Amino acid sequence: MGNGGRSGLQQGKGNVDGVAATPTAASASCQYRCIECNQEAKELYRDYNHGVLKITICKSCQKPVDKYIEYDPVIILINAILCKAQAYRHILFNTQINIHGKLCIFCLLCEAYLRWWQLQDSNQNTAPDDLIRYAKEWDFYRMFAIAALEQTAYFIGIFTFLWVERPMTAKKKPNFILLLKALLLSSYGKLLLIPAVIWEHDYTPLCLKLIKVFVLTSNFQAIRVTLNINRKLSFLGMVSGLLLESIMVYFFQSMEWDVGSDCAIYKSQDF
């Protein structure tokens, strides 16, 4: 067992007659999930004395509740990049990750920087240097605000569709807080925008489009895993988000607030 997996097993242990185990969930919000069948589980493993570990077996599918607790974090990351549902369930339900806000800000900064860089590359200004630097700084803040508003519109579109289409007979309401965290985490692909700009190449426009496809695929899997819904509803939810985001983009362009939107991230045809 790798050090990463062992360190993960050490989190949240409780002693019961000399046997350490993951704590029993007290409420639905803190229950673990089987990564194979998505059924709730009270614990992930038991740690007997002298480091003898026994992974809990799911009562529904008769498979280990979470095999990833033994895996190295690098392996888990690779499986997440491959958009495996089991890896997403492990990350979203069976671990404690609190980087959603920081990751969101950093992704927005990456997106704003790309838009700002493309805008400056397309503008030729003969104003004094001090004035240029001041204007460029405010251009970056403007791009950050626009990127944030467009992402908000995208999320609202997804939430609205899923709220309207949720089964009326459903026993539990959709956990939109968890879904928001899942969408923020699954947008980590936007971090690739900075390398795409730094190592500028003739294939950069293609790279930007591939990054967009990867982010959307990750969002799709996050929606499906978090709410345990079928692929059709997940896809339609994403389409609703993209439609509302496109309306927001059109609004900014019509108001001429987003100068250079024609070359904005993911939407560019010419770099």
Side-chain angles (χ1 to χ4, degrees):
M1 182 185 298
N3 292 333
R6 188 173 293 276
S7 62
L9 287 172
Q10 297 297 327
Q11 298 178 359
K13 289 184 177 180
N15 293 323
V16 181
D17 296 332
V19 179
T22 46
T24 300
S27 62
S29 61
C30 63
Q31 283 180 330
Y32 302 109
R33 296 288 183 88
C34 173
I35 64 172
E36 301 293 343
C37 64
N38 201 45
Q39 290 297 314
E40 296 175 349
K42 295 182 178 180
E43 60 186 21
L44 301 178
Y45 66 90
R46 284 188 177 272
D47 185 0
Y48 297 89
N49 290 332
H50 308 297
V52 179
L53 303 176
K54 182 179 180 181
I55 298 179
T56 303
I57 301 300
C58 178
K59 296 180 180 179
S60 178
C61 65
Q62 301 302 314
K63 294 181 180 180
V65 171
D66 191 347
K67 62 182 180 181
Y68 284 113
I69 60 176
E70 293 188 300
Y71 284 29
D72 191 270
V74 175
I75 303 300
I76 299 174
L77 177 61
I78 292 174
N79 284 316
I81 292 175
L82 295 175
C83 293
K84 290 189 176 182
Q86 294 88 342
Y88 273 68
R89 291 190 184 105
H90 167 77
I91 295 172
L92 295 174
F93 298 119
N94 299 338
T95 59
Q96 295 180 352
I97 299 180
N98 296 313
I99 61 171
H100 315 87
K102 295 179 180 178
L103 182 62
C104 175
I105 297 298
F106 198 74
C107 288
L108 288 175
L109 287 172
C110 293
E111 195 169 341
Y113 176 78
L114 178 57
R115 297 185 183 209
W116 175 82
W117 179 79
Q118 291 175 328
L119 179 63
Q120 304 309 316
D121 188 60
S122 62
N123 287 346
Q124 298 295 330
N125 202 321
T126 59
D129 291 343
D130 291 342
L131 184 59
I132 292 176
R133 284 195 295 268
Y134 181 78
K136 287 183 176 181
E137 180 180 351
W138 279 102
D139 281 340
F140 178 80
Y141 297 149
R142 179 162 57 93
M143 292 302 165
F144 181 87
I146 290 173
L149 289 173
E150 290 180 5
Q151 179 173 276
T152 301
Y154 172 65
F155 289 162
I156 290 176
I158 293 176
F159 295 154
T160 302
F161 175 83
L162 294 175
W163 177 265
V164 172
E165 289 297 322
R166 66 188 173 93
M168 300 301 296
T169 57
K171 296 181 179 179
K172 295 182 179 179
K173 294 182 179 180
N175 189 341
F176 287 124
I177 300 298
L178 180 60
L179 178 59
L180 176 61
K181 294 180 178 180
L183 288 172
L184 293 177
L185 283 177
S186 62
S187 299
Y188 67 93
K190 293 181 179 180
L191 300 178
L192 298 173
L193 295 174
I194 296 302
V197 172
I198 294 176
W199 289 288
E200 182 181 356
H201 194 272
D202 293 339
Y203 295 104
T204 298
L206 176 61
C207 291
L208 296 179
K209 292 177 182 178
L210 290 177
I211 292 172
K212 176 63 174 178
V213 172
F214 175 72
V215 172
L216 290 178
T217 303
S218 300
N219 290 163
F220 168 82
Q221 192 70 299
I223 296 171
R224 192 170 73 89
V225 168
T226 304
L227 301 182
N228 195 29
I229 58 178
N230 57 47
R231 290 181 174 85
K232 180 181 178 181
L233 284 178
S234 300
F235 177 76
L236 292 177
M238 280 183 46
V239 171
S240 299
L242 290 173
L243 286 175
L244 190 57
E245 181 185 15
S246 299
I247 294 173
M248 184 71 70
V249 172
Y250 177 78
F251 172 75
F252 288 139
Q253 291 178 349
S254 63
M255 298 295 292
E256 297 184 354
W257 290 351
D258 192 6
V259 180
S261 284
D262 293 335
C263 63
I265 179 175
Y266 311 142
K267 308 175 183 67
S268 63
Q269 298 298 327
D270 300 309
F271 195 79

